[in-house]
Amino acid sequence: MWNQVLPIRGDWKKLYEEDFTTDQREKIISSLTKALAVAGFKMEKTWGEVIEDRGSQITYSALGQQAPLEAKNQWDPNYAKRKTIKALLDTYIPEFSVRMGGATSIDITKPGIDKAYGIRKLRDLLGISLKEMIYIGDALFPGGNDYPAEEAGVVSIPIRDPRETKRVTETIIACLDGDHQA
């Protein structure tokens, strides 16, 4: 996840990556499995992968990556379940960053490899300022996986779900239409 691939003359070229080592990956996944057992959270029904290795980020999605939004919204509306899991992970793997995201997920990365890191990399690669960026996220609260973007100084717009992301994005584009030079 924390890598940058940009099209260069029609071809895609990886510019950097921050992947876990095999030992780090194994420690994170075993710690996550232990935290879930200790917390007592066992899902009866899941949709897709529950623990996803994204290379530089391991994501736990309680109901699975493909869970319907309605089920996700009902699982942990007050963040209590994920706060419990996060607190356990913070003690098991203090050398990593553990953040809540979305409606059911917890993201684990190397320290400092977060949305702020990605935004600064994008700023540097594109040669634009943070003031020229807009960030849209559903976890812009302290401890949320989108919060570092706001802390980095980018204008941040909180949203609830993918439908709202689409509406906000369409609104921004409509506001730029005619004013934006391609």
Side-chain angles (χ1 to χ4, degrees):
M1 170 132 194
W2 293 110
N3 59 54
Q4 184 64 46
V5 181
L6 291 175
I8 308 293
R9 285 181 240 130
D11 295 324
W12 289 90
K13 178 181 176 187
K14 185 180 289 192
L15 301 178
Y16 70 90
E17 64 185 350
E18 302 290 348
D19 289 351
F20 292 118
T21 65
T22 300
D23 289 344
Q24 289 172 326
R25 183 175 289 109
E26 289 172 1
K27 182 173 184 180
I28 291 167
I29 292 172
S30 68
S31 296
L32 182 54
T33 302
K34 179 180 173 184
L36 295 172
V38 169
F41 298 125
K42 176 75 174 132
M43 303 307 112
E44 291 181 23
K45 179 169 175 73
T46 59
W47 295 264
E49 285 186 78
V50 173
I51 298 175
E52 183 182 10
D53 182 351
R54 298 178 177 177
S56 58
Q57 174 178 304
I58 293 178
T59 297
Y60 165 70
S61 299
L63 301 177
Q65 289 292 322
Q66 307 304 317
L69 190 56
E70 182 178 317
K72 287 182 177 185
N73 289 339
Q74 293 174 7
W75 184 74
D76 190 24
N78 61 2
Y79 303 96
K81 293 174 183 174
R82 284 178 291 153
K83 285 180 181 176
T84 299
I85 297 165
K86 180 186 178 338
L88 290 166
L89 288 170
D90 285 341
T91 63
Y92 299 159
I93 50 172
E95 67 272 32
F96 296 102
S97 175
V98 179
R99 294 186 182 270
M100 294 179 284
T104 65
S105 64
I106 294 176
D107 298 332
I108 303 162
T109 62
K110 294 177 184 177
I113 307 299
D114 56 19
K115 303 288 173 84
Y117 174 87
I119 283 173
R120 287 189 295 271
K121 282 289 209 179
L122 187 61
R123 173 201 62 200
D124 296 345
L125 288 166
L126 297 177
I128 63 176
S129 73
L130 295 178
K131 292 184 185 331
E132 296 174 273
M133 297 181 180
I134 299 174
Y135 186 88
I136 302 168
D138 63 353
L140 284 165
F141 51 85
N145 68 349
D146 294 317
Y147 190 64
E150 187 167 299
E151 287 184 306
V154 175
V155 171
S156 299
I157 301 171
I159 50 85
R160 289 183 298 271
D161 56 47
R163 290 182 300 266
E164 191 170 27
T165 302
K166 181 181 179 195
R167 286 193 306 272
V168 168
T169 303
E170 290 171 342
T171 301
I172 292 167
I173 292 168
C175 289
L176 292 173
D177 196 27
D179 293 334
H180 183 55
Q181 303 291 323

